[in-house]
Coordinates of all heavy atoms in Angstrom, one line a residue:
M1 N 10.5 -13.1 11.9 CA 9.4 -13.9 11.6 C 9.7 -14.9 10.5 O 10.4 -14.5 9.5 CB 8.3 -12.9 11.1 CG 7.1 -13.7 10.5 SD 5.9 -12.6 9.8 CE 4.7 -12.7 11.0
K2 N 9.3 -16.1 10.6 CA 9.6 -17.1 9.7 C 8.7 -17.0 8.5 O 7.5 -16.9 8.6 CB 9.4 -18.5 10.4 CG 9.9 -19.6 9.5 CD 9.7 -20.9 10.3 CE 10.2 -22.1 9.5 NZ 10.0 -23.3 10.2
R3 N 9.2 -17.0 7.3 CA 8.4 -17.0 6.1 C 8.4 -18.4 5.4 O 9.3 -19.1 5.6 CB 9.0 -16.0 5.1 CG 9.2 -14.6 5.6 CD 8.2 -13.7 5.1 NE 8.5 -12.3 5.4 CZ 8.0 -11.7 6.5 NH1 7.3 -12.4 7.4 NH2 8.3 -10.5 6.8
N4 N 7.3 -18.6 4.7 CA 7.3 -19.9 4.0 C 6.7 -19.6 2.6 O 6.4 -18.5 2.2 CB 6.5 -20.9 4.7 CG 5.0 -20.5 4.9 OD1 4.4 -19.9 4.0 ND2 4.5 -20.7 6.1
K5 N 6.7 -20.7 1.8 CA 6.2 -20.5 0.4 C 4.8 -20.0 0.3 O 4.4 -19.5 -0.7 CB 6.4 -21.8 -0.3 CG 7.8 -22.2 -0.5 CD 7.9 -23.6 -1.3 CE 9.3 -24.0 -1.4 NZ 9.5 -25.3 -2.0
L6 N 4.0 -20.2 1.3 CA 2.6 -19.8 1.3 C 2.5 -18.3 1.4 O 1.5 -17.7 1.0 CB 1.8 -20.5 2.4 CG 1.8 -22.0 2.3 CD1 1.0 -22.6 3.5 CD2 1.1 -22.5 1.0
N7 N 3.4 -17.6 1.9 CA 3.4 -16.1 2.1 C 3.9 -15.5 0.8 O 5.0 -14.8 0.9 CB 4.1 -15.7 3.3 CG 3.5 -16.2 4.6 OD1 3.5 -17.4 4.9 ND2 2.9 -15.3 5.3
N8 N 3.2 -15.6 -0.2 CA 3.7 -15.1 -1.5 C 2.7 -14.1 -2.1 O 2.9 -13.8 -3.3 CB 3.9 -16.3 -2.5 CG 2.6 -17.0 -2.8 OD1 1.6 -16.8 -2.3 ND2 2.7 -18.0 -3.7
K9 N 1.8 -13.6 -1.4 CA 0.8 -12.6 -1.9 C 1.2 -11.2 -1.4 O 1.7 -11.1 -0.3 CB -0.6 -12.9 -1.5 CG -1.2 -14.1 -2.2 CD -2.7 -14.2 -1.9 CE -3.0 -14.5 -0.4 NZ -4.4 -14.7 -0.1
V10 N 0.8 -10.2 -2.1 CA 0.9 -8.8 -1.7 C -0.5 -8.3 -1.4 O -1.4 -8.5 -2.2 CB 1.6 -8.0 -2.8 CG1 1.6 -6.5 -2.4 CG2 3.0 -8.4 -3.1
A11 N -0.6 -7.7 -0.3 CA -1.9 -7.0 0.0 C -1.8 -5.6 -0.3 O -0.9 -4.9 0.1 CB -2.2 -7.2 1.5
I12 N -2.7 -5.1 -1.2 CA -2.8 -3.7 -1.5 C -4.0 -3.1 -0.7 O -5.1 -3.5 -0.9 CB -3.1 -3.4 -3.0 CG1 -1.9 -4.1 -3.8 CG2 -3.2 -2.0 -3.3 CD1 -2.2 -4.0 -5.3
I13 N -3.7 -2.3 0.3 CA -4.7 -1.8 1.2 C -5.0 -0.3 1.0 O -4.0 0.5 0.8 CB -4.2 -1.9 2.7 CG1 -3.9 -3.4 3.0 CG2 -5.2 -1.4 3.7 CD1 -5.0 -4.3 2.9
M14 N -6.2 0.0 0.9 CA -6.6 1.4 0.7 C -7.7 1.8 1.8 O -8.5 1.0 2.2 CB -7.3 1.6 -0.7 CG -6.3 1.3 -1.8 SD -7.2 1.4 -3.4 CE -7.8 -0.3 -3.4
G15 N -7.6 3.1 2.2 CA -8.6 3.6 3.1 C -10.0 3.8 2.5 O -11.0 3.7 3.2
S16 N -10.0 4.0 1.2 CA -11.3 4.2 0.5 C -11.1 4.0 -1.0 O -10.0 3.9 -1.5 CB -11.8 5.6 0.7 OG -11.0 6.6 0.1
K17 N -12.2 3.8 -1.7 CA -12.2 3.6 -3.2 C -11.4 4.7 -3.9 O -10.8 4.5 -4.9 CB -13.6 3.5 -3.8 CG -14.2 2.1 -3.6 CD -15.3 2.0 -4.6 CE -16.6 1.9 -3.8 NZ -17.8 1.7 -4.7
S18 N -11.5 5.9 -3.4 CA -10.9 7.1 -4.0 C -9.4 6.9 -4.1 O -8.7 7.6 -4.9 CB -11.3 8.4 -3.4 OG -10.8 8.4 -2.0
D19 N -8.8 6.1 -3.2 CA -7.3 5.9 -3.2 C -6.9 5.0 -4.4 O -5.7 4.9 -4.6 CB -6.9 5.3 -1.9 CG -7.2 6.2 -0.7 OD1 -7.3 7.4 -0.9 OD2 -7.3 5.6 0.4
Y20 N -7.8 4.4 -5.0 CA -7.5 3.4 -6.1 C -6.7 4.2 -7.2 O -5.9 3.6 -7.9 CB -8.7 2.7 -6.6 CG -8.3 1.7 -7.7 CD1 -7.6 0.6 -7.4 CD2 -8.6 2.0 -9.1 CE1 -7.3 -0.3 -8.4 CE2 -8.3 1.1 -10.1 CZ -7.6 -0.1 -9.7 OH -7.2 -0.9 -10.7
S21 N -7.0 5.4 -7.4 CA -6.4 6.2 -8.5 C -4.8 6.2 -8.3 O -4.1 6.2 -9.3 CB -6.9 7.6 -8.6 OG -6.7 8.3 -7.5
V22 N -4.4 6.1 -7.1 CA -3.0 6.1 -6.8 C -2.5 4.6 -6.8 O -1.4 4.3 -7.4 CB -2.7 6.6 -5.4 CG1 -1.3 6.5 -4.9 CG2 -3.1 8.1 -5.3
M23 N -3.2 3.7 -6.3 CA -2.8 2.3 -6.1 C -2.9 1.5 -7.4 O -2.3 0.4 -7.4 CB -3.5 1.7 -4.9 CG -3.2 2.4 -3.6 SD -1.5 2.6 -3.2 CE -1.1 1.0 -2.7
K24 N -3.6 2.0 -8.4 CA -3.7 1.2 -9.6 C -2.3 1.0 -10.3 O -2.1 0.0 -11.0 CB -4.7 1.8 -10.6 CG -4.3 3.1 -11.2 CD -5.4 3.7 -12.1 CE -5.0 5.1 -12.6 NZ -6.1 5.7 -13.3
E25 N -1.4 1.9 -10.0 CA -0.1 1.8 -10.6 C 0.7 0.6 -9.9 O 1.4 -0.2 -10.6 CB 0.8 3.1 -10.4 CG 0.2 4.2 -11.2 CD 0.0 4.0 -12.6 OE1 0.9 3.4 -13.3 OE2 -1.1 4.4 -13.2
C26 N 0.4 0.4 -8.7 CA 1.0 -0.7 -7.9 C 0.4 -2.0 -8.5 O 1.1 -3.0 -8.8 CB 0.7 -0.6 -6.5 SG 1.2 -2.0 -5.5
E27 N -0.9 -2.0 -8.8 CA -1.5 -3.2 -9.3 C -0.9 -3.5 -10.7 O -0.6 -4.7 -11.0 CB -3.0 -2.9 -9.5 CG -3.8 -4.0 -10.1 CD -5.3 -3.7 -10.3 OE1 -5.6 -2.5 -10.4 OE2 -6.0 -4.7 -10.4
K28 N -0.7 -2.5 -11.5 CA -0.1 -2.7 -12.9 C 1.3 -3.4 -12.8 O 1.6 -4.4 -13.5 CB 0.0 -1.4 -13.6 CG -1.3 -0.8 -14.1 CD -1.0 0.5 -14.8 CE -2.2 1.2 -15.2 NZ -2.0 2.5 -15.8
I29 N 2.1 -2.9 -11.9 CA 3.4 -3.5 -11.7 C 3.4 -4.9 -11.2 O 4.1 -5.8 -11.7 CB 4.3 -2.6 -10.7 CG1 4.5 -1.2 -11.4 CG2 5.6 -3.3 -10.3 CD1 5.1 -0.2 -10.4
L30 N 2.5 -5.2 -10.3 CA 2.4 -6.6 -9.8 C 1.9 -7.5 -10.9 O 2.4 -8.7 -10.9 CB 1.5 -6.6 -8.5 CG 2.0 -5.9 -7.3 CD1 1.0 -5.9 -6.2 CD2 3.3 -6.6 -6.8
K31 N 1.0 -7.0 -11.7 CA 0.6 -7.9 -12.8 C 1.7 -8.1 -13.8 O 1.9 -9.3 -14.3 CB -0.6 -7.2 -13.6 CG -1.9 -7.3 -12.8 CD -3.0 -6.7 -13.6 CE -4.4 -6.8 -12.9 NZ -5.4 -6.2 -13.7
I32 N 2.5 -7.1 -14.1 CA 3.6 -7.3 -15.0 C 4.6 -8.3 -14.5 O 5.1 -9.2 -15.2 CB 4.3 -5.9 -15.3 CG1 3.4 -5.0 -16.1 CG2 5.7 -6.1 -16.0 CD1 3.9 -3.6 -16.2
L33 N 4.8 -8.2 -13.2 CA 5.8 -9.1 -12.5 C 5.2 -10.5 -12.2 O 5.9 -11.4 -11.6 CB 6.4 -8.5 -11.2 CG 7.2 -7.2 -11.5 CD1 7.5 -6.6 -10.1 CD2 8.4 -7.5 -12.3
K34 N 3.9 -10.7 -12.5 CA 3.2 -11.9 -12.2 C 3.2 -12.3 -10.7 O 3.5 -13.4 -10.3 CB 3.7 -13.0 -13.1 CG 3.4 -12.7 -14.5 CD 3.9 -13.8 -15.4 CE 3.6 -13.4 -16.8 NZ 4.1 -14.1 -17.9
I35 N 3.0 -11.3 -9.9 CA 3.0 -11.5 -8.4 C 1.5 -11.5 -8.0 O 0.8 -10.6 -8.3 CB 3.8 -10.4 -7.7 CG1 5.3 -10.4 -8.1 CG2 3.6 -10.5 -6.2 CD1 6.1 -9.3 -7.6
K36 N 1.2 -12.5 -7.2 CA -0.2 -12.6 -6.7 C -0.5 -11.4 -5.7 O 0.4 -11.0 -4.9 CB -0.4 -13.9 -5.9 CG -0.3 -15.1 -6.8 CD -0.5 -16.3 -5.9 CE -0.2 -17.6 -6.8 NZ -0.3 -18.8 -5.9
F37 N -1.7 -10.8 -5.8 CA -2.0 -9.7 -4.9 C -3.5 -9.7 -4.7 O -4.3 -10.4 -5.4 CB -1.6 -8.4 -5.5 CG -2.3 -8.0 -6.8 CD1 -3.5 -7.3 -6.8 CD2 -1.8 -8.4 -8.0 CE1 -4.1 -6.9 -7.9 CE2 -2.5 -8.1 -9.2 CZ -3.6 -7.4 -9.2
Q38 N -3.9 -9.0 -3.7 CA -5.3 -8.8 -3.4 C -5.5 -7.4 -3.0 O -4.7 -6.8 -2.3 CB -5.7 -9.7 -2.2 CG -7.2 -9.7 -1.9 CD -7.6 -10.7 -0.9 OE1 -6.8 -11.5 -0.5 NE2 -8.8 -10.6 -0.4
I39 N -6.6 -6.8 -3.5 CA -6.9 -5.4 -3.2 C -8.0 -5.3 -2.1 O -9.0 -6.0 -2.3 CB -7.3 -4.6 -4.4 CG1 -6.2 -4.6 -5.5 CG2 -7.8 -3.2 -4.1 CD1 -6.6 -4.0 -6.8
L40 N -7.7 -4.6 -1.0 CA -8.7 -4.5 0.0 C -8.9 -3.1 0.4 O -8.0 -2.3 0.5 CB -8.2 -5.3 1.3 CG -7.8 -6.7 1.1 CD1 -6.9 -7.2 2.2 CD2 -9.1 -7.5 1.1
I41 N -10.2 -2.7 0.7 CA -10.5 -1.4 1.2 C -10.8 -1.6 2.7 O -11.7 -2.3 3.1 CB -11.7 -0.8 0.5 CG1 -11.3 -0.5 -1.0 CG2 -12.1 0.5 1.2 CD1 -12.5 -0.1 -1.8
V42 N -9.9 -1.1 3.5 CA -10.0 -1.2 5.0 C -9.7 0.1 5.6 O -8.6 0.6 5.6 CB -9.0 -2.3 5.5 CG1 -9.2 -2.5 7.0 CG2 -9.1 -3.6 4.7
S43 N -10.8 0.7 6.1 CA -10.6 2.1 6.7 C -10.3 2.0 8.2 O -11.0 1.4 8.9 CB -11.9 2.9 6.5 OG -11.9 4.1 7.2
A44 N -9.2 2.6 8.5 CA -8.8 2.7 9.9 C -9.8 3.5 10.8 O -9.9 3.2 11.9 CB -7.4 3.2 10.1
H45 N -10.5 4.4 10.1 CA -11.5 5.2 10.8 C -12.9 4.6 10.8 O -13.5 4.5 11.9 CB -11.6 6.6 10.2 CG -10.3 7.4 10.3 ND1 -10.0 8.0 11.5 CD2 -9.4 7.7 9.4 CE1 -8.8 8.6 11.3 NE2 -8.4 8.4 10.1
R46 N -13.3 4.1 9.6 CA -14.7 3.6 9.5 C -14.8 2.1 9.9 O -15.9 1.7 10.4 CB -15.2 3.8 8.1 CG -15.4 5.3 7.8 CD -16.0 5.5 6.4 NE -15.2 4.9 5.3 CZ -14.2 5.5 4.8 NH1 -13.8 6.7 5.2 NH2 -13.5 5.0 3.8
T47 N -13.8 1.3 9.7 CA -13.8 -0.1 10.0 C -12.5 -0.5 10.8 O -11.8 -1.4 10.4 CB -14.0 -0.9 8.8 OG1 -12.9 -0.7 7.9 CG2 -15.3 -0.7 8.1
P48 N -12.3 0.1 12.0 CA -11.1 -0.2 12.7 C -11.0 -1.7 13.1 O -9.9 -2.3 13.1 CB -11.1 0.7 13.9 CG -12.5 1.1 14.1 CD -13.1 1.1 12.7
R49 N -12.1 -2.3 13.4 CA -12.0 -3.8 13.8 C -11.6 -4.6 12.6 O -10.8 -5.5 12.8 CB -13.4 -4.2 14.3 CG -13.4 -5.7 14.7 CD -14.7 -6.1 15.3 NE -15.0 -5.2 16.4 CZ -15.4 -5.6 17.6 NH1 -15.6 -6.9 17.8 NH2 -15.6 -4.8 18.6
R50 N -12.1 -4.3 11.4 CA -11.7 -5.0 10.2 C -10.2 -4.8 10.0 O -9.5 -5.8 9.6 CB -12.5 -4.5 9.0 CG -12.2 -5.3 7.8 CD -13.1 -4.8 6.7 NE -12.8 -5.6 5.5 CZ -13.1 -5.1 4.3 NH1 -13.8 -4.0 4.1 NH2 -12.8 -5.8 3.2
M51 N -9.7 -3.6 10.2 CA -8.3 -3.3 10.0 C -7.4 -4.1 11.0 O -6.4 -4.7 10.6 CB -8.0 -1.8 10.2 CG -6.6 -1.4 9.9 SD -6.2 -1.3 8.1 CE -4.9 -2.5 8.0
F52 N -7.9 -4.2 12.2 CA -7.2 -4.9 13.3 C -7.1 -6.4 12.9 O -6.1 -7.0 13.0 CB -7.8 -4.6 14.6 CG -7.1 -5.3 15.7 CD1 -5.9 -4.8 16.3 CD2 -7.6 -6.4 16.3 CE1 -5.3 -5.4 17.3 CE2 -7.0 -7.1 17.4 CZ -5.8 -6.5 17.9
E53 N -8.3 -6.9 12.5 CA -8.4 -8.4 12.2 C -7.5 -8.7 11.0 O -6.8 -9.7 10.9 CB -9.8 -8.8 11.9 CG -10.7 -8.8 13.2 CD -12.1 -8.9 12.9 OE1 -12.6 -8.9 11.7 OE2 -12.9 -9.0 13.9
F54 N -7.5 -7.8 10.0 CA -6.6 -8.0 8.8 C -5.2 -8.0 9.3 O -4.4 -8.9 8.9 CB -6.8 -6.9 7.8 CG -5.7 -6.9 6.7 CD1 -5.7 -7.8 5.7 CD2 -4.6 -6.1 6.9 CE1 -4.7 -7.9 4.8 CE2 -3.5 -6.1 6.0 CZ -3.6 -7.1 4.9
A55 N -4.7 -7.1 10.1 CA -3.3 -7.0 10.5 C -2.9 -8.2 11.3 O -1.8 -8.8 11.0 CB -3.1 -5.7 11.4
E56 N -3.8 -8.7 12.1 CA -3.5 -9.9 12.9 C -3.4 -11.2 12.1 O -2.6 -12.1 12.4 CB -4.5 -10.1 14.0 CG -4.3 -9.2 15.2 CD -5.2 -9.6 16.4 OE1 -6.4 -10.0 16.2 OE2 -4.7 -9.5 17.5
S57 N -4.2 -11.3 11.0 CA -4.2 -12.5 10.3 C -3.5 -12.4 8.9 O -3.6 -13.4 8.1 CB -5.7 -12.9 10.1 OG -6.4 -11.9 9.3
A58 N -2.9 -11.4 8.6 CA -2.3 -11.2 7.3 C -1.3 -12.3 6.9 O -1.4 -12.9 5.8 CB -1.6 -9.8 7.2
S59 N -0.4 -12.6 7.8 CA 0.6 -13.6 7.5 C -0.1 -15.0 7.4 O 0.2 -15.8 6.5 CB 1.7 -13.7 8.6 OG 2.6 -14.7 8.4
K60 N -1.0 -15.3 8.3 CA -1.7 -16.6 8.2 C -2.5 -16.7 6.9 O -2.7 -17.8 6.4 CB -2.7 -16.6 9.4 CG -3.4 -18.0 9.5 CD -4.3 -18.0 10.7 CE -5.5 -17.1 10.4 NZ -6.5 -17.1 11.5
N61 N -2.9 -15.6 6.4 CA -3.7 -15.6 5.1 C -2.9 -15.5 3.9 O -3.4 -15.3 2.8 CB -4.7 -14.5 5.1 CG -5.8 -14.7 6.1 OD1 -6.2 -15.9 6.4 ND2 -6.4 -13.7 6.7
G62 N -1.5 -15.7 4.0 CA -0.7 -15.9 2.9 C 0.0 -14.6 2.4 O 0.6 -14.6 1.3
F63 N -0.2 -13.5 3.1 CA 0.4 -12.3 2.6 C 1.9 -12.2 3.2 O 2.2 -12.5 4.3 CB -0.3 -11.0 3.1 CG -1.7 -10.9 2.5 CD1 -2.8 -11.2 3.2 CD2 -1.8 -10.6 1.2 CE1 -4.1 -11.2 2.7 CE2 -3.1 -10.5 0.6 CZ -4.2 -10.8 1.3
G64 N 2.8 -11.7 2.3 CA 4.2 -11.6 2.7 C 4.6 -10.1 2.7 O 5.5 -9.8 3.4
V65 N 3.8 -9.2 2.1 CA 4.1 -7.8 2.0 C 2.8 -7.1 1.9 O 1.8 -7.5 1.3 CB 5.0 -7.4 0.8 CG1 5.2 -5.9 0.7 CG2 6.3 -8.1 0.8
I66 N 2.8 -5.9 2.5 CA 1.6 -5.0 2.5 C 2.0 -3.7 1.9 O 3.0 -3.1 2.3 CB 1.0 -4.8 3.9 CG1 0.6 -6.1 4.6 CG2 -0.2 -3.8 3.8 CD1 0.3 -6.0 6.0
V67 N 1.2 -3.3 0.9 CA 1.4 -1.9 0.3 C 0.1 -1.2 0.6 O -1.0 -1.7 0.3 CB 1.6 -2.0 -1.2 CG1 1.7 -0.6 -1.8 CG2 2.8 -2.8 -1.6
A68 N 0.2 -0.1 1.3 CA -1.0 0.6 1.8 C -0.9 2.1 1.5 O 0.1 2.7 1.4 CB -1.2 0.4 3.3
C69 N -2.1 2.7 1.3 CA -2.2 4.1 1.2 C -3.5 4.6 1.9 O -4.4 3.9 2.0 CB -2.2 4.6 -0.3 SG -3.7 4.4 -1.2
G70 N -3.4 5.8 2.3 CA -4.5 6.4 3.0 C -4.2 7.8 3.5 O -3.1 8.3 3.1
D71 N -5.1 8.4 4.2 CA -4.9 9.8 4.6 C -4.7 9.9 6.1 O -5.0 10.9 6.7 CB -6.0 10.7 4.1 CG -7.4 10.3 4.7 OD1 -7.4 9.3 5.5 OD2 -8.4 10.9 4.4
S72 N -4.3 8.8 6.7 CA -4.1 8.8 8.2 C -3.0 8.0 8.7 O -2.7 6.9 8.1 CB -5.4 8.2 8.8 OG -5.2 8.0 10.2
N73 N -2.3 8.5 9.6 CA -1.2 7.8 10.2 C -1.7 6.6 11.1 O -0.9 5.7 11.4 CB -0.3 8.7 11.1 CG 0.6 9.6 10.3 OD1 0.9 9.2 9.2 ND2 0.9 10.7 10.8
I74 N -3.0 6.6 11.4 CA -3.6 5.5 12.1 C -3.4 4.2 11.3 O -3.1 3.1 11.9 CB -5.1 5.8 12.4 CG1 -5.2 7.0 13.4 CG2 -5.7 4.5 13.0 CD1 -6.6 7.5 13.6
L75 N -3.6 4.3 10.0 CA -3.5 3.1 9.2 C -2.1 2.5 9.3 O -1.9 1.3 9.4 CB -3.7 3.5 7.7 CG -3.6 2.4 6.7 CD1 -4.6 1.2 7.0 CD2 -3.9 2.9 5.3
E76 N -1.1 3.4 9.3 CA 0.3 2.9 9.5 C 0.5 2.2 10.8 O 1.1 1.2 10.9 CB 1.3 4.1 9.4 CG 2.7 3.7 9.5 CD 3.7 4.8 9.3 OE1 3.2 6.0 9.2 OE2 4.9 4.6 9.2
D77 N -0.1 2.7 11.9 CA 0.0 2.1 13.2 C -0.7 0.7 13.2 O -0.1 -0.3 13.7 CB -0.7 2.9 14.3 CG 0.0 4.2 14.5 OD1 1.2 4.3 14.2 OD2 -0.6 5.2 15.0
F78 N -1.8 0.5 12.5 CA -2.5 -0.8 12.4 C -1.6 -1.7 11.7 O -1.5 -2.9 12.0 CB -3.8 -0.7 11.7 CG -4.9 -0.3 12.7 CD1 -5.6 0.9 12.6 CD2 -5.4 -1.2 13.6 CE1 -6.6 1.3 13.4 CE2 -6.4 -0.9 14.5 CZ -7.0 0.4 14.4
L79 N -1.0 -1.3 10.6 CA -0.1 -2.1 9.8 C 1.1 -2.7 10.6 O 1.5 -3.8 10.3 CB 0.4 -1.4 8.5 CG -0.7 -1.1 7.5 CD1 -0.2 -0.2 6.4 CD2 -1.4 -2.3 7.0
R80 N 1.6 -2.0 11.5 CA 2.7 -2.4 12.3 C 2.3 -3.7 13.1 O 3.1 -4.5 13.4 CB 3.1 -1.4 13.3 CG 3.8 -0.2 12.6 CD 4.4 0.8 13.6 NE 4.7 2.0 12.9 CZ 5.8 2.2 12.1 NH1 6.6 1.2 11.8 NH2 6.0 3.4 11.5
L81 N 1.0 -3.9 13.4 CA 0.5 -5.1 14.1 C 0.7 -6.3 13.2 O 0.7 -7.4 13.7 CB -1.0 -4.9 14.4 CG -1.3 -3.8 15.4 CD1 -2.8 -3.7 15.5 CD2 -0.7 -4.1 16.8
A82 N 0.8 -6.2 11.9 CA 0.8 -7.3 11.0 C 2.2 -8.0 11.1 O 2.3 -9.2 10.7 CB 0.5 -6.9 9.6
S83 N 3.2 -7.4 11.6 CA 4.5 -8.0 11.7 C 5.0 -8.4 10.3 O 5.7 -9.5 10.2 CB 4.6 -9.1 12.7 OG 4.2 -8.7 13.9
L84 N 4.7 -7.7 9.3 CA 5.1 -8.0 7.9 C 5.8 -6.7 7.4 O 5.5 -5.6 7.8 CB 3.9 -8.3 7.0 CG 3.2 -9.7 7.2 CD1 2.0 -9.7 6.3 CD2 4.1 -10.8 7.0
P85 N 6.7 -6.9 6.4 CA 7.2 -5.7 5.7 C 6.0 -4.9 5.1 O 5.1 -5.6 4.5 CB 8.1 -6.2 4.6 CG 8.4 -7.7 5.0 CD 7.2 -8.1 5.8
F86 N 6.0 -3.6 5.1 CA 5.0 -2.9 4.5 C 5.5 -1.6 3.9 O 6.6 -1.0 4.4 CB 3.8 -2.6 5.4 CG 4.1 -1.7 6.6 CD1 3.9 -0.3 6.4 CD2 4.4 -2.2 7.8 CE1 4.2 0.5 7.5 CE2 4.7 -1.4 8.9 CZ 4.5 0.0 8.7
F87 N 4.8 -1.1 2.9 CA 5.1 0.2 2.3 C 3.9 1.1 2.5 O 2.8 0.6 2.2 CB 5.4 0.1 0.8 CG 6.6 -0.8 0.6 CD1 6.4 -2.1 0.3 CD2 7.9 -0.3 0.6 CE1 7.5 -3.0 0.0 CE2 9.0 -1.1 0.4 CZ 8.8 -2.4 0.1
F88 N 4.0 2.3 3.0 CA 2.9 3.1 3.3 C 3.0 4.4 2.6 O 4.0 5.1 2.7 CB 2.7 3.3 4.8 CG 1.6 4.2 5.2 CD1 0.3 3.7 5.1 CD2 1.8 5.4 5.8 CE1 -0.8 4.5 5.4 CE2 0.7 6.2 6.2 CZ -0.6 5.8 6.0
F89 N 1.9 4.8 1.9 CA 1.9 6.1 1.2 C 0.8 6.9 1.9 O -0.3 6.6 1.8 CB 1.6 5.9 -0.3 CG 2.5 5.0 -1.0 CD1 2.3 3.6 -1.1 CD2 3.7 5.5 -1.5 CE1 3.2 2.8 -1.8 CE2 4.6 4.7 -2.1 CZ 4.4 3.3 -2.3
L90 N 1.2 8.0 2.5 CA 0.3 8.9 3.2 C -0.2 9.9 2.1 O 0.5 10.6 1.5 CB 1.0 9.7 4.3 CG 0.2 10.6 5.1 CD1 -1.0 9.9 5.8 CD2 1.0 11.4 6.1
L91 N -1.5 9.8 2.0 CA -2.2 10.8 1.0 C -2.8 11.9 1.8 O -3.6 11.7 2.6 CB -3.3 10.0 0.3 CG -3.0 8.8 -0.5 CD1 -4.2 8.2 -1.1 CD2 -1.9 9.1 -1.6
S92 N -2.3 13.1 1.5 CA -2.7 14.3 2.2 C -3.5 15.1 1.2 O -3.2 15.2 0.0 CB -1.6 15.1 2.7 OG -0.8 14.3 3.6
P93 N -4.6 15.8 1.7 CA -5.3 16.7 0.8 C -4.4 17.8 0.4 O -3.5 18.2 1.1 CB -6.5 17.2 1.7 CG -6.1 16.9 3.1 CD -5.1 15.8 3.1
P94 N -4.6 18.3 -0.8 CA -3.8 19.4 -1.3 C -4.0 20.7 -0.4 O -5.1 20.9 0.0 CB -4.3 19.7 -2.7 CG -5.5 18.9 -2.9 CD -5.6 17.9 -1.8
F95 N -3.0 21.4 -0.3 CA -3.1 22.7 0.5 C -3.8 23.7 -0.3 O -3.5 23.8 -1.5 CB -1.7 23.2 1.0 CG -1.1 22.2 1.9 CD1 0.0 21.4 1.5 CD2 -1.4 22.2 3.2 CE1 0.6 20.5 2.4 CE2 -0.8 21.3 4.1 CZ 0.2 20.5 3.7
S96 N -4.6 24.5 0.3 CA -5.2 25.7 -0.5 C -4.7 27.0 0.2 O -4.7 27.1 1.4 CB -6.7 25.6 -0.5 OG -7.2 25.5 0.9
F97 N -4.4 27.9 -0.6 CA -3.9 29.2 -0.1 C -4.9 30.3 -0.5 O -5.6 30.2 -1.4 CB -2.5 29.5 -0.7 CG -1.5 28.5 -0.3 CD1 -1.1 27.5 -1.2 CD2 -0.8 28.7 0.9 CE1 -0.1 26.6 -0.8 CE2 0.2 27.8 1.2 CZ 0.5 26.7 0.4

């Protein structure tokens, strides 16, 4: 995929607001490095169409990298549609014994 100067933003994708407690560290690092970013809540379960539209248009909207977290592998599958490098953090509920 051809990259250009316009693809200089990082998309921080979360499945829900509760994931922000994990992704705020990513936000801090991007601010320190003075890298443009946008935080989006896009649920693969609750808003699959929005996730699909995001993935298809990510490059066109200036994103060069996607950092995502959620509790579903479905999110990872959607991100593959974006044809951009991405980092995915799978958040699993703690096990109880």
Side-chain angles (χ1 to χ4, degrees):
M1 169 185 256
K2 187 176 179 181
R3 304 255 190 271
N4 60 43
K5 291 180 184 178
L6 298 177
N7 293 72
N8 63 356
K9 290 190 295 186
V10 174
I12 301 175
I13 303 296
M14 296 174 277
S16 69
K17 277 197 246 183
S18 63
D19 298 335
Y20 181 71
S21 63
V22 173
M23 299 307 281
K24 68 183 176 186
E25 297 304 317
C26 178
E27 179 183 22
K28 287 179 187 178
I29 291 168
L30 293 173
K31 283 181 178 179
I32 290 168
L33 297 173
K34 297 181 180 173
I35 295 173
K36 295 178 188 178
F37 66 91
Q38 185 174 352
I39 297 174
L40 301 161
I41 297 173
V42 185
S43 170
H45 294 286
R46 292 183 301 280
T47 58
R49 182 176 301 231
R50 183 175 179 202
M51 184 76 239
F52 183 76
E53 289 169 356
F54 167 78
E56 283 192 320
S57 63
S59 181
K60 183 180 77 177
N61 289 329
F63 294 106
V65 175
I66 300 169
V67 179
C69 78
D71 61 2
S72 169
N73 286 331
I74 295 171
L75 179 60
E76 184 178 7
D77 293 337
F78 275 111
L79 292 173
R80 292 185 193 287
L81 296 172
S83 299
L84 291 174
F86 67 87
F87 301 93
F88 179 67
F89 302 94
L90 181 61
L91 302 179
S92 300
F95 294 104
S96 58
F97 296 97

